[in-house]
Amino acid sequence: MKNICKMMTAGVLAAALAGCASSPTASASVSSADAKASDDGTYTVGIIQLVQHPALDAASQGFEDELKAELGDKVTVTLKNASNDSAQCTTIANQFVTQGVDLILANATPSLQAAASATSTIPILGTAITEYGVALSLDDFNGTVGGNISGTSDLAPLDQQAAMFDELLPDAKTIGILYCSAEANSVYQAQQVQKYLEDEGKTVKVYTFSDSNDVASVTQSACNDCDALYIPTDNTAASCAEAINNVAEPAGVPIITGEEGIMSGCGIATMSIDYYKLGQTTGKMAVKILTGEEKISDMPVEYYENPVKEYDADRCAKLGITVPDGYQAYTAEN
């Protein structure tokens, strides 16, 4: 689930990334934001992936495949998984800086925050980032971060996701929003969807867990109180989708989700993007940066076009949900 900043001053960056590890000195960053190939014409790229789950795995794979397709054996890619630990993201970012990689892919928001804290010179591309302004605390974000950061967003239309409750669950009056409070972009999505649902006359209750340890108990509380649940694009929820399903399915509580990976684990429907293709798009951006075709400081964040409404046929059938036209049945090959 790459490069970002508006040539922020050190003070602004520190404020934006409060809570992340302190940045190394400029001398620790051995590449510039518009770095080219090394003297032997090769490139080294480091991937920081927050956690292993289908969406982020697909984004990393699409990115690496695109790099290999365009640069072949000129590029060496190293992927390191932080096991859903923000502190480990910081450790990995600092390792890549010390190694002097030519570019960092930050897969998911905590990875981006850690990379941005670690270097202001090595190009950083984000992927599977919902909202860059929120992730980096940028009050004036206008689509281009600037500096050494850009990337791709996995944000699907939240108003259309909220509208799916009326389309699929017209009798659901009380909706629970379930997410990890430690993920800034989950907070953003939850607030937006809550507003849309309340505008539609729904009663909304918010349930948060701080980490994977209390997912099951919080999900149980939400299922006890609500007719249906919404889970935004959330890395902790994605990694705990089976645990969520083990509570929600016996309770007969349907879940609409922010992305396909979570839906496949515990949901009835989603409006989602193709994370592999998102990774490929990010890979194309990386090639342009590495070869000097474009400057990362000038590259706007790119968004996935034409997200798809999908539904899980088995769960919908068990719950007696009639799926209207405009949805496609989810399969593992989608």
Side-chain angles (χ1 to χ4, degrees):
M1 263 226 178
K2 295 171 182 177
N3 278 305
I4 251 170
C5 297
K6 278 192 172 175
M7 299 305 291
M8 300 189 223
T9 64
V12 173
L13 183 57
L17 301 174
C20 295
S22 58
S23 300
T25 60
S27 61
S29 300
V30 296
S31 303
S32 70
D34 298 310
K36 311 300 187 296
S38 58
D39 292 340
D40 62 358
T42 61
Y43 311 92
T44 58
V45 174
I47 300 176
I48 310 169
Q49 182 171 318
L50 174 63
V51 66
Q52 185 173 11
H53 66 67
L56 299 191
D57 292 347
S60 290
Q61 191 64 58
F63 175 81
E64 183 171 356
D65 288 351
E66 187 64 30
L67 284 183
K68 295 290 188 180
E70 299 203 34
L71 299 176
D73 58 8
K74 293 181 180 179
V75 62
T76 299
V77 179
T78 300
L79 186 153
K80 295 190 177 184
N81 193 304
S83 301
N84 209 20
D85 184 346
S86 296
Q88 186 63 17
C89 288
T90 297
T91 298
I92 295 169
N94 287 331
Q95 289 173 347
F96 284 148
V97 170
T98 300
Q99 293 167 16
V101 299
D102 297 302
L103 183 142
I104 295 172
L105 173 69
N107 191 344
T109 297
S111 302
L112 176 64
Q113 293 170 331
S117 182
T119 177
S120 61
T121 56
I122 295 175
I124 302 165
L125 285 173
T127 194
I129 312 296
T130 302
E131 218 289 331
Y132 282 79
V134 172
L136 295 171
S137 300
L138 305 176
D139 293 334
D140 58 348
F141 176 63
N142 62 1
T144 301
V145 180
N148 70 320
I149 302 174
S150 188
T152 56
S153 169
D154 61 355
L155 181 64
L158 297 176
D159 58 339
Q160 295 182 49
Q161 289 185 355
M164 294 169 73
F165 283 92
D166 275 343
E167 295 171 0
L168 295 166
L169 306 166
D171 296 328
K173 304 302 181 185
T174 301
I175 311 299
I177 300 181
L178 181 69
Y179 65 94
C180 179
S181 58
E183 297 192 30
N185 277 315
S186 296
V187 177
Y188 168 78
Q189 293 172 82
Q191 291 173 341
Q192 295 300 308
V193 171
Q194 179 175 1
K195 180 176 65 176
Y196 293 130
L197 289 172
E198 289 176 343
D199 286 347
E200 294 171 2
K202 308 292 187 185
T203 298
V204 177
K205 297 184 177 183
V206 176
Y207 301 84
T208 64
F209 42 83
S210 57
D211 56 38
S212 59
N213 293 322
D214 55 350
V215 167
S217 61
V218 174
T219 302
Q220 187 64 66
S221 295
C223 289
N224 290 342
D225 300 339
C226 301
D227 303 317
L229 304 181
Y230 172 77
I231 301 176
T233 303
D234 183 284
N235 294 296
T236 304
S239 64
C240 297
E242 183 178 358
I244 294 171
N245 190 62
N246 287 342
V247 176
E249 188 168 284
V253 176
I255 302 173
I256 290 175
T257 72
E259 60 95 5
E260 181 182 89
I262 303 176
M263 186 205 72
S264 68
C266 64
I268 62 162
T270 186
M271 170 174 276
S272 187
I273 70 167
D274 186 322
Y275 278 84
Y276 182 83
K277 290 181 180 178
L278 190 73
Q280 286 182 306
T281 298
T282 320
K284 293 179 186 295
M285 297 174 74
V287 170
K288 292 177 182 178
I289 294 162
L290 291 169
T291 60
E293 182 180 342
E294 292 191 23
K295 293 182 177 181
I296 191 166
S297 57
D298 297 333
M299 299 174 77
V301 170
E302 297 192 25
Y303 294 81
Y304 186 85
E305 297 181 357
N306 303 317
V308 175
K309 288 182 178 180
E310 295 179 308
Y311 71 99
D312 184 286
D314 288 341
R315 290 196 186 96
C316 285
K318 288 178 182 177
L319 293 168
I321 295 170
T322 300
V323 180
D325 293 339
Y327 286 76
Q328 71 177 37
Y330 166 79
T331 65
E333 290 75 31
N334 277 1

